Every structure is written in structure tokens, then in C-alpha cells.
Amino acid sequence: MTTDSAFDVVVIGAGPVGLACAIEVQRRGFSVVAMDKGALVNSIIGYPTNMEFFSTPELLEIGAHPFPTSHYKPLREDGLDYYRRVAFSEKIPLRLYERVTGLEGGLGQYEVITEKGRIACRFVVVATGFYDIPNYLNVPGEDLPHVNHYYKEPYAHTGQRVVVVGAKNSSAKAALQLLRAGADVTMVIRGAEISQSVKYWIRPDLINRIKEGRIKALFDTTIQRITPEAVEIQTPSGLEILPASYVYALTGYHPDFSFLAALGITCELDAAQTPTHDAETLETNRPGVYLAGTVCGGLNTSRWFIENGRYHAQVIAARLAGEVAPELPQVLQPVQLS
């Protein structure tokens, strides 16, 4: 397969942080392309319908483009429109629905290998996030068609028995929406309580609905097996059968470590499997290959999000341009999507 194009910088991942990186390097005179195996801001497309960001608009802005919205906290649809308009306004070259499969060469002479061709470049920025691979339960029946690791909206489940696995933000919001759409909701929770990380305006709502009995919550309980009509659960009292017509296993997500390995990026031997990179320059073990955004944290997916990951763009662009890189600011702790 011959090289079909060439750029100074290839950004892998066309989400908000990837777009921020493309904007910053392009403004410094580098040619750039932003790639994604899916759509533009593919992860946000996968968020629940009308999901409310936990951040205010100014914390989600990239490239100094104002984020106009009538909502104090933007909705998913606001974000989709904003990032599309920014990408088009900045005229960022995009190659979407094109999966990267490998990386050959070295500093200044890399070739990004994709399913459709090869792209020559001097530098690579990996901004692939973490939302693509669920933390699986690893139980029999998890691959059945009525089991889903991504929640979209509640309306198809009116009158159904739905099991929601997990007790963090995604699970809490899904359980509340499902209840209000007429579903019979049971939460299966491994720990002893609703996670303290659930946002302060959501947690009391959920706890009160559980106290009322409108949502059933089984604590210190794990899924053992899923069948077409039920889930087998291990409770403090023993093994039980819980009828279920649909199961949302909202147990979090993690970066694609096999993809990082395909790029030649190693990981540390810590609990988070942190991808190897310099914390100040963001350069990986492969010279000229950088990380940006959530992927920097490995399994610690709550360390970086749009609010603070967008600043990685300025650090990387300054580094490539030979400028003094700004220090990463201390900003609010990002939200988890689990």
C-alpha cells in the first residue's frame, strides 16, 4: 500500500481534545489532519439523548471559540453543533470513518497506516479518549442482544423490567430516566451505597426514589449470569433470579490499550496502566508521538476530560513550534461517565 497523502501532524481522534490539538498546531503553520474511526466527536454522538454536560460552556470551549447556548450547562446536542461549527470554521482537514491500524517509521518520518491507506507525517498526536471499550462484567450471557453497555434514552422500555448495573453517574441518570418513562427499574450495585461521586443534584433524587420503593436497589450484589429472561445475581442472602427484559451494564469504560500497543506506545506497570509519556511535554516513548486528553490517564479516566484535556493542545503545539510550553492549569475535577 503506497502513501496517499502527507501532513506535518496527524491527530488520531477527532473529539473535542483532538480538534483542539489540530487547531493549535495548524495555527502555528503546520499542516494537519484529524482522523477518527467514527464520526466527528464520535463519543458525544454516543452520549444519551439530551444529556446535560456537567460543565458550563466556557469550560468546554476550544480554540477560543465562544460556546453559545441558552442552557447553563449545555446539552449533548449543543456540543455536537458547537464542535462541528468550530471544525468547519477552522477548516480542519478531516478523515472520518477511517480506522488507524499501525504506525511505522520514526521521528520526522512516520507513516500512519489505516484501513484505507498510508499517511506520511512528521508528528503524531493520539487523542483517542476512553469511551469505546466498556468494562465488561465477564459473565455468561453478556453478549445477548438485550444487554447494552451504552444507554441512549428510556422510551423503548416503558412497561419493561430493566436492570441497571452500576451506581455512578451514568447508572444513576439512566435509572431515574427509565423510572420516569414507565419502566420497572432494579439497580444491581456491587458496593454498599450509591457512589459518592454521583453529582450532588442527582444523588439525592436517586436515593429518595429508592427509599420510596419506586426504584429497587440491591446492594453488595453482583451479576453471575444473564439469560434471555432474567439475571442471576449473588446477594448477601445467596443466589437469586431477577426477571429482566433488558439490562444496562453501565460499569465504565477504558482506553484501547491494544491500539496504543499497535502504535508502539508502551504502558507503565502501575494500577492505571498509564500510557508511557512525559507529564510535562506529553511525548510518549516514541519520539514525536504525543498523547492528549483522557487517554493520558489510562484506567484513571476521571483525571482528564474536555475541561482540562483541551490545554494539552497548547502544550503540544508549543513543543512542536519550539515555543515555551505553558504549564497545565489546575482546573475543576472532570466528571466520570461511569
Side-chain angles (χ1 to χ4, degrees):
M1 190 178 295
T2 58
T3 302
D4 62 79
S5 56
F7 297 88
D8 292 322
V9 183
V10 171
V11 178
I12 304 174
V17 173
L19 290 177
C21 291
I23 290 168
E24 294 296 333
V25 298
Q26 183 168 268
R27 286 179 178 177
R28 286 165 173 80
F30 294 95
S31 61
V32 63
V33 63
M35 306 191 62
D36 204 289
K37 68 180 184 301
L40 186 68
V41 290
N42 195 63
S43 291
I44 298 179
I45 287 177
Y47 289 175
T49 303
N50 292 322
M51 185 211 76
E52 184 182 65
F53 282 94
F54 294 132
S55 300
T56 51
E58 66 274 9
L59 294 174
L60 301 173
E61 292 173 354
I62 60 174
H65 289 269
F67 190 153
T69 174
S70 60
H71 303 102
Y72 172 63
K73 293 180 179 178
L75 303 181
R76 162 188 176 269
E77 289 70 16
D78 296 325
L80 290 172
D81 184 58
Y82 170 74
Y83 293 115
R84 173 189 59 81
R85 288 188 290 105
V86 169
F88 287 4
S89 176
E90 293 283 345
K91 297 181 172 58
I92 301 298
L94 300 170
R95 288 178 64 153
L96 304 174
Y97 296 100
E98 184 170 356
R99 184 181 296 272
V100 173
T101 59
L103 178 64
E104 295 180 354
L107 178 61
Q109 295 181 323
Y110 280 115
E111 281 199 326
V112 175
I113 305 166
T114 81
E115 293 176 330
K116 298 180 180 179
R118 301 172 75 97
I119 306 170
C121 62
R122 296 165 57 198
F123 306 102
V124 178
V125 179
V126 181
T128 47
F130 72 101
Y131 196 52
D132 294 325
I133 301 182
N135 296 327
Y136 289 107
L137 300 172
N138 294 316
V139 298
E142 190 170 9
D143 58 348
L144 288 171
H146 71 299
V147 180
N148 203 328
H149 295 87
Y150 296 89
Y151 168 77
K152 198 72 176 178
E153 58 185 17
Y155 308 110
H157 303 296
T158 299
Q160 288 190 306
R161 292 190 177 103
V162 182
V163 169
V164 177
V165 186
K168 293 186 178 179
N169 282 294
S170 292
S171 302
K173 293 196 75 171
L176 289 167
Q177 287 191 1
L178 286 161
L179 167 69
R180 288 163 181 148
D184 180 351
V185 184
T186 301
M187 299 185 73
V188 174
I189 300 164
R190 183 174 56 183
E193 63 175 1
I194 300 299
S195 173
Q196 294 290 336
S197 68
V198 175
K199 293 304 173 181
Y200 67 86
W201 64 92
I202 299 174
R203 192 171 188 271
D205 188 4
L206 178 60
I207 289 173
N208 286 330
R209 302 298 78 74
I210 292 171
K211 287 180 179 178
E212 292 172 351
R214 296 177 64 196
I215 292 177
K216 295 180 284 293
L218 304 175
F219 296 99
D220 298 312
T221 298
T222 57
I223 302 284
Q224 300 297 301
R225 180 184 179 86
I226 303 172
T227 70
E229 296 85 22
V231 294
E232 296 179 10
I233 54 175
Q234 184 66 48
T235 76
S237 302
L239 194 65
E240 297 183 14
I241 304 298
L242 181 65
S245 50
Y246 209 88
V247 178
Y248 281 107
L250 305 179
T251 50
Y253 312 93
H254 63 269
D256 188 343
F257 292 109
S258 62
F259 175 70
L260 295 176
L263 299 180
I265 298 173
T266 60
C267 291
E268 302 300 313
L269 299 178
D270 57 4
Q273 300 178 45
T274 306
T276 303
H277 68 286
D278 185 296
E280 293 185 0
T281 68
L282 302 173
E283 190 170 22
T284 69
N285 57 287
R286 295 198 75 174
V289 179
Y290 296 81
L291 298 181
T294 312
V295 70
C296 294
L299 294 176
N300 188 1
T301 55
S302 64
R303 182 177 180 185
W304 301 106
F305 196 56
I306 300 171
E307 298 99 317
N308 54 7
R310 59 187 175 153
Y311 292 105
H312 290 170
Q314 298 174 17
V315 172
I316 294 169
R319 172 83 172 174
L320 298 189
E323 303 170 0
V324 176
E327 292 186 7
L328 291 174
Q330 297 296 317
V331 296
L332 56 87
Q333 182 73 347
V335 64
Q336 297 186 65
L337 288 174
S338 60

